[in-house]
Amino acid sequence: MKGIDWGTLMLFGGGLSMGAMMFSTGLSQWIGEGMKSMMGGHPSEFFFIAVFCIMSLLLSELASHTAAVNLMGTIAISTALSLGFNPIPVAVGVAMASSLGFMMPVSTPPNAIVYASGYVPITKMFKSGLIIDILGIFLITIPIVMWLVKVIMGV
């Protein structure tokens, strides 16, 4: 019991609990409905997936990846279901985009370790992370949409 990193366990457990509570209380559906109306009522699936991938990426830069996936995943899935979309592509996109947070030390413990070493300044992390983020969004969103079109068309 002494060797267990309780802070990490609490982070993961808290993120999972937050996502579950958002879903069970209807908060994720309420947020999803608000986002649906902000996107024009019935957006295209490409736009829908791209928006959620970008939002997940931005959130993962400011919070842990686990929290980003738990928060954005429940909102994205609820919104997809309310729009009549297949929730699997957006869930995959959210999970993958949330793993791209490389700009800030707060995103992941490895980022914090690299920054704390003193060898990599925050400006270098930010610039490198921004490049990875931009490339990553395209490399995640476009294949998911292509896969979705292939599944819908039955090709």
Side-chain angles (χ1 to χ4, degrees), residues 9-77:
L9 286 176
M10 294 298 281
L11 174 71
F12 285 112
L16 293 172
S17 297
M18 182 177 63
M21 290 305 294
M22 285 183 66
F23 191 76
S24 67
T25 62
L27 178 61
S28 61
Q29 182 155 358
W30 180 76
I31 293 170
E33 289 294 326
M35 292 180 71
K36 179 172 92 170
S37 66
M38 285 177 24
M39 286 190 247
H42 197 78
S44 70
E45 283 190 77
F46 173 77
F47 180 71
F48 176 76
I49 292 169
V51 164
F52 273 100
C53 285
I54 292 168
M55 287 175 33
S56 300
L57 169 66
L58 294 174
L59 183 60
S60 74
E61 293 293 358
L62 303 172
S64 74
H65 298 295
T66 305
V69 169
N70 283 311
L71 180 63
M72 293 308 300
T74 56
I75 294 170
I77 290 169

